[in-house]
Amino acid sequence: SVRRVAQSVLCIQTFLISILRRFLTLPQQFVKQKMGDIRLPRHMFLWCLSAIYLFAFASLYVQIPGLYGNEGLLPARWHLRVSGKSLVEQLKDSPTLLWFGPRLGLDTQQCMELFSLTGALLSLMTLALPPLRDCRVFLVLWILYLSLYQVGQVFLYFQWDNLLLETGFLAILVAPMKMPWSSKVCLHDNVTFWLVRWLLFRLMFASGVVKLTSRCPTWWGLTALTYHYETQCIPTQLAWFAHQLPVWFQKLSVVGTYVIEMAIPFLFFSPIRRHRLAAFYMQVLLQVLIILSGNYNFFNILTITLCLSLLDDQHVNFWLRRPTLKTERTSLQTLFSGMAVMLEVSVYALLGYWTVQYFDLKVDWEKKSVSSKTAFTYFEFNGFLKTVTVPSIWIGVLSLAWEIITAMFKCACVRGVLWRLWSTTQWAVMAAAAVSMFAISLVPYTYFEYDANSKLWPGIRTAFEVTDRYQLVNSYGLFRRMTGVGGRPEVVIEGSMDRNTWTEIEFMYKPGNMSAAPPVVAPHQPRLDWQMWFAALGPQTQSPWFSSLLHRLLQGKSDVVKLIQTDESQYPFSKQPPVYLRAHRYKYWFSEPKADGSYPQRWWRRVYVEEFYPIVHLGDSYLEQMLVQHGLKDKAPLKRSSNAWLPRLLRYVGEHAHEMPPHLLLWTLFSSAATVCLLNSLRSRAHHRQHESLQNQHTDKQASGRTCFNVAEKNEKKHEEEEEKEEVTKDDAEKDGKEQEKDATSEEEQEKEKEGEIEEEVSAEETEEDSLRKRK
């Protein structure tokens, strides 16, 4: 029995060793195939992020003179006042490269324009040329946008600016570092690309949670979308048609939003591939509907870019109609695939059941509608958050650990000691970076749940506080509360020359003229129009920049006027600035279709509410008091601009760039870069086809040579076989001759033996006869 146990242990040990050796000596082709699972989605992610950087830099560039210029609304030079601190201390207080402006002979406005132009041109080149999609290029883009963000003040403090900075930093880890000796495929790609998926999860889950934690009655009553389309900042024309949809459909759309934002994100980490693909299409559907109904600049495009982390090469090849290798399934794989399908269907069924139960969905066949309402309370939802928050963190831990371990085994499959050491070093560095980013992100992620946030390790909090100024990780939560329930508040500025006749000053994008159709301006963000929307939600004292706006309009500053109307001929006071200004608050609503179903002549209807800002003029005591109170009054005179070549070049480019409407400028730049990228792809495809044809010709020549060689070999083999046959026949003949000789000799010997026997018998007879004679 002991011997049998020892033999069984030895058999198991040898079996495990053989499996380990076989795993560690995988073919190189199999290793490359596994490492390239996310190669195409990663390239798409970097390409889309380059386009988003282009939109962000170019959109901000055309607005810098009016927003941050020396005669703008909030001059950036006030934010970077000269002090007795050293350069290192200044960078610690405000990490921006604008501190180096005086060393270049530029003021703050010119330095911001230089950084915006550099970022736009660099992102344009990165968009068109694939070799420039390197981690060092994305590091430069991130530093440039962070430098502008630090002095952007209220006009750059939007969630999508924070999201772009966080995504841009992750792109530094995702993008390859192209070296002469580096390979095209990195073993740590899945680890770093996983951080993009985690960011998408935090963004979507938090956006769904804050809608309910805010206790907004419209979100709890599922009526938010009945107000959303007309109260959003800059709606599109399709928003008017969406606003006319029946109420039951609007409420059902809110239920779908909750499901997509709070339930579907957990499928991002599902081991079943079809779960991740279904989650991708649901998220993209939501973002596309938002793009069609509202102008949210590059935010929705950036969210779709994050959704690319849910794809793999196989699905992208399916989009491109590329053939994929089909492997035969074993019986065990077929069993697992069947179990996966059953699990997938059960998850969808469970989501549908929970949706029906918690939102009390009922179909009314007579009215052809679906009724819905929230069937849970605020305290029950808080209990759900306490139950889900910590397990969601552990789901992230397990998913990240799986990616890290998988990448580690891939490093073990690399051939060559030096290459294995290099890949292992890269894996260790990127795994440490991924774990650090994940740990720091837990602080803002758990803001909506106090208990989970209080249980975090203090070291993580310290690391978050140190890195907070760099916007590496942020908290998110869009559309927390629905504004404009009683009507969309809107501020209308009016100007006059004699204080009797007043003329409205219309903005290019925000609602004002009731007959003007809502525009489509995405991906451009008119930041002044956005802040006008926020200013209308409260008193003017909550928007200090509004006093500066009126002051610059009374002065007739062209840079500020171009923020309102790019074409100055559309500005009512283009020839002479107004003497008096005032602002009123109105409430706007979408117009309704006529009784016969025809469309109305006007898009909006409005009602006067109250005075927003009193009548002011240059030198007015109230206006001066507000400017001094908020620190918006110029104290020191402006310095004369330099006549060096760089400032003159910046002025020349700025004069020509402001002649075109911003949204057209952005699409022109993007279309030109996309055209170059398309031509390069077509050229590379043609070169690839030519290379394949040459390879096929070479293989055909080799095949023909091989066939000739095979024919010659066959002839030689036949000749050799015939020679062998002849030799065999000769050998057989010789053997037969020898055997015949042997037979003849053997017969002669037998005859001789017989003769000897006869002679012996005769002699014996003779001897007997002689003996008889003698006896006789």
Side-chain angles (χ1 to χ4, degrees):
S1 61
V2 174
R3 187 177 297 173
R4 290 177 180 175
V5 171
Q7 289 178 353
S8 61
V9 170
L10 288 175
C11 291
I12 294 173
Q13 185 178 3
T14 53
F15 177 70
L16 293 176
I17 291 174
S18 63
I19 291 177
L20 184 61
R21 286 179 177 176
R22 187 174 182 181
F23 182 77
L24 293 177
T25 58
L26 287 173
Q28 195 70 14
Q29 183 179 1
F30 176 78
V31 176
K32 289 182 179 179
Q33 181 181 358
K34 289 298 181 183
M35 288 189 295
D37 285 342
I38 52 130
R39 183 180 61 86
L40 295 177
R42 188 191 64 167
H43 289 332
M44 295 170 63
F45 169 77
L46 296 177
W47 187 86
C48 292
L49 188 59
S50 302
I52 293 169
Y53 265 129
L54 172 63
F55 296 147
F57 280 114
S59 175
L60 184 60
Y61 170 73
V62 297
Q63 303 178 75
I64 285 176
L67 296 178
Y68 308 109
N70 297 326
E71 296 179 346
L73 301 182
L74 297 176
R77 58 189 176 88
W78 295 348
H79 195 76
L80 297 176
R81 297 187 182 275
V82 180
S83 61
K85 297 181 179 179
S86 62
L87 181 61
V88 177
E89 293 177 349
Q90 290 175 342
L91 289 174
K92 287 183 179 179
D93 295 338
S94 180
T96 173
L97 296 181
L98 295 175
W99 294 110
F100 294 93
R103 299 172 184 266
L104 299 174
L106 303 174
D107 58 17
T108 306
Q109 175 188 347
Q110 294 171 343
C111 198
M112 291 184 70
E113 291 177 344
L114 177 62
F115 289 172
S116 298
L117 273 178
T118 305
L121 292 176
L122 188 58
S123 56
L124 182 67
M125 296 171 61
T126 307
L127 183 64
L129 304 175
L132 290 180
R133 293 168 204 159
D134 186 85
C135 64
R136 290 157 292 192
V137 176
F138 284 100
L139 175 61
V140 174
L141 293 173
W142 179 78
I143 292 175
L144 291 176
Y145 201 77
L146 178 64
S147 299
L148 298 173
Y149 175 85
Q150 294 296 329
V151 297
Q153 304 170 67
V154 69
F155 293 105
L156 265 174
Y157 291 168
F158 292 96
Q159 290 196 36
W160 36 82
D161 294 310
N162 298 333
L163 182 63
L164 178 57
L165 284 172
E166 185 171 353
T167 308
F169 185 80
L170 294 182
I172 301 172
L173 303 177
V174 173
M177 180 180 288
K178 297 180 180 179
M179 294 288 187
W181 62 85
S182 61
S183 60
K184 294 182 180 180
V185 180
C186 298
L187 301 175
H188 54 77
D189 287 345
N190 290 39
V191 177
T192 54
F193 206 45
W194 181 91
L195 293 174
V196 180
R197 189 185 306 176
W198 172 248
L199 172 58
L200 177 64
F201 172 80
R202 291 193 291 114
L203 172 66
M204 301 309 300
F205 186 69
S207 297
V209 167
V210 297
K211 291 177 175 60
L212 295 177
T213 55
S214 64
R215 296 191 179 186
C216 178
T218 59
W219 285 115
W220 278 92
L222 306 181
T223 58
L225 290 184
T226 58
Y227 308 101
H228 165 72
Y229 296 112
E230 69 177 3
T231 60
Q232 58 184 327
C233 181
I234 305 176
T236 63
Q237 297 180 14
L238 290 178
W240 186 90
F241 295 94
H243 182 72
Q244 312 303 328
L245 294 173
V247 177
W248 69 266
F249 186 82
Q250 307 279 22
K251 297 176 71 174
L252 189 63
S253 300
V254 175
V255 174
T257 302
Y258 283 142
V259 173
I260 293 175
E261 290 185 346
M262 287 192 293
I264 297 300
F266 286 94
L267 299 181
F268 296 170
F269 309 106
S270 173
I272 300 176
R273 176 174 171 269
R274 285 187 293 269
H275 275 164
R276 299 192 297 272
L277 296 179
F280 167 80
Y281 284 109
M282 291 183 184
Q283 299 297 330
V284 171
L285 174 63
L286 176 62
Q287 300 305 318
V288 169
L289 293 176
I290 296 175
I291 290 173
L292 294 176
S293 61
N295 292 281
Y296 291 94
N297 50 79
F298 56 82
F299 168 66
N300 303 110
I301 305 175
L302 181 56
T303 306
I304 294 175
T305 302
L306 296 177
C307 292
L308 295 175
S309 61
L310 303 175
L311 300 178
D312 53 11
D313 283 358
Q314 182 180 353
H315 198 69
V316 176
N317 286 326
F318 170 75
W319 287 350
L320 301 176
R321 301 299 180 184
R322 293 179 180 175
T324 56
L325 296 175
K326 295 182 179 181
T327 58
E328 296 182 358
R329 290 185 178 182
T330 61
S331 58
L332 186 61
Q333 291 176 344
T334 305
L335 177 62
F336 282 152
S337 63
M339 295 174 61
V341 171
M342 294 176 61
L343 180 60
E344 179 185 3
V345 174
S346 62
V347 168
Y348 295 145
L350 192 61
L351 285 176
Y353 173 76
W354 283 347
T355 303
V356 172
Q357 288 293 116
Y358 288 108
F359 293 100
D360 195 16
L361 300 181
K362 296 179 180 178
V363 180
D364 190 346
W365 298 104
E366 295 181 356
K367 297 181 179 180
K368 296 181 180 180
S369 62
V370 179
S371 62
S372 58
K373 65 178 181 179
T374 52
F376 54 90
T377 63
Y378 176 78
F379 298 101
E380 290 176 347
F381 182 71
N382 276 340
F384 164 77
L385 284 183
K386 292 180 181 180
T387 305
V388 168
T389 304
V390 176
S392 66
I393 295 175
W394 282 109
I395 290 173
V397 170
L398 294 176
S399 180
L400 178 59
W402 172 259
E403 298 294 345
I404 292 175
I405 293 173
T406 306
M408 181 186 66
F409 276 104
K410 290 176 182 178
C411 293
C413 299
V414 177
R415 294 182 179 179
V417 178
L418 295 179
W419 286 111
R420 189 176 302 165
L421 179 61
W422 172 248
S423 60
T424 305
T425 305
Q426 284 184 319
W427 165 83
V429 173
M430 292 302 173
V435 172
S436 302
M437 290 294 295
F438 173 75
I440 296 173
S441 68
L442 296 179
V443 177
Y445 170 64
T446 55
Y447 277 160
F448 54 78
E449 214 289 297
Y450 176 77
D451 293 338
N453 187 270
S454 60
K455 293 178 182 179
L456 294 176
W457 183 47
I460 297 178
R461 297 177 181 276
T462 304
F464 172 75
E465 293 173 358
V466 172
T467 59
D468 187 29
R469 67 182 66 183
Y470 304 106
Q471 305 300 318
L472 299 185
V473 292
N474 302 277
S475 60
Y476 303 100
L478 298 170
F479 305 107
R480 185 185 299 268
R481 300 186 65 88
M482 190 55 58
T483 58
V485 175
R488 173 197 179 95
E490 201 66 54
V491 174
V492 177
I493 301 175
E494 297 176 348
S496 174
M497 303 299 293
D498 55 3
R499 201 166 181 165
N500 294 323
T501 304
W502 295 91
T503 304
E504 291 188 9
I505 298 177
E506 296 182 9
F507 285 68
M508 284 187 295
Y509 307 115
K510 84 178 192 68
N513 186 358
M514 292 182 289
S515 299
V520 177
V521 298
H524 171 61
Q525 182 187 0
R527 296 183 181 268
L528 177 59
D529 294 63
W530 270 86
Q531 286 301 325
M532 289 290 292
W533 180 75
F534 282 108
L537 301 177
Q540 56 91 10
T541 54
Q542 295 181 359
S543 304
W545 56 268
F546 193 82
S547 299
S548 179
L549 172 63
L550 297 183
H551 184 236
R552 297 304 187 190
L553 292 179
L554 289 171
Q555 291 177 338
K557 300 300 181 181
S558 60
D559 293 335
V560 178
V561 171
K562 289 180 179 178
L563 295 176
I564 299 175
Q565 287 290 343
T566 305
D567 186 4
E568 294 187 5
S569 62
Q570 301 295 326
Y571 183 65
F573 302 98
S574 58
K575 296 181 180 180
Q576 184 179 358
V579 179
Y580 301 96
L581 284 176
R582 68 181 183 183
H584 288 160
R585 195 198 313 268
Y586 288 83
K587 282 195 174 180
Y588 278 68
W589 293 271
F590 270 139
S591 59
E592 297 179 357
K594 297 181 180 180
D596 57 355
S598 60
Y599 298 138
Q601 295 180 352
R602 292 184 175 183
W603 291 86
W604 299 95
R605 59 185 180 90
R606 73 180 185 181
V607 173
Y608 175 80
V609 178
E610 60 183 352
E611 182 184 66
F612 183 78
Y613 206 96
I615 300 174
V616 293
H617 56 85
L618 285 177
D620 187 84
S621 59
Y622 181 78
L623 180 60
E624 294 292 329
Q625 179 185 356
M626 296 301 296
L627 293 175
V628 173
Q629 179 181 349
H630 299 296
L632 301 175
K633 187 69 175 177
D634 285 328
K635 296 181 180 179
L638 295 176
K639 296 181 181 180
R640 295 181 61 183
S641 59
S642 175
N643 289 325
W645 68 271
L646 187 55
R648 284 190 285 109
L649 178 63
L650 292 174
R651 286 194 295 269
Y652 176 80
V653 174
E655 291 175 358
H656 289 78
H658 289 85
E659 294 177 356
M660 184 183 296
H663 59 283
L664 294 180
L665 176 63
L666 265 62
W667 283 116
T668 301
L669 294 174
F670 173 75
S671 58
S672 60
T675 303
V676 173
C677 188
L678 180 61
L679 293 175
N680 288 333
S681 63
L682 293 176
R683 181 182 177 184
S684 62
R685 183 174 296 181
H687 180 71
H688 181 68
R689 289 179 179 176
Q690 184 179 3
H691 182 66
E692 283 185 349
S693 63
L694 292 175
Q695 280 187 346
N696 292 331
Q697 291 177 2
H698 183 65
T699 52
D700 292 338
K701 289 180 181 180
Q702 288 182 349
S704 62
R706 286 177 183 175
T707 53
C708 296
F709 182 73
N710 292 331
V711 171
E713 281 187 349
K714 288 180 179 179
N715 294 330
E716 290 180 359
K717 286 182 179 179
K718 287 182 179 180
H719 185 67
E720 289 178 357
E721 289 177 356
E722 290 177 356
E723 290 181 351
E724 288 179 357
K725 288 180 179 180
E726 291 178 357
E727 291 179 356
V728 168
T729 52
K730 290 180 180 180
D731 293 338
D732 293 337
E734 291 178 355
K735 288 180 181 179
D736 293 336
K738 290 179 179 180
E739 287 179 357
Q740 289 177 1
E741 290 179 357
K742 287 181 180 179
D743 293 336
T745 52
S746 62
E747 288 178 357
E748 291 177 356
E749 289 178 356
Q750 288 179 359
E751 290 178 355
K752 289 180 180 180
E753 287 178 358
K754 288 181 180 180
E755 290 176 355
E757 289 177 356
I758 293 170
E759 290 178 353
E760 288 177 357
E761 290 178 356
V762 172
S763 60
E765 291 178 356
E766 290 179 354
T767 51
E768 287 179 359
E769 290 178 356
D770 291 337
S771 61
L772 289 173
R773 288 175 182 175
K774 288 178 180 180
R775 288 177 182 176
K776 289 180 178 182

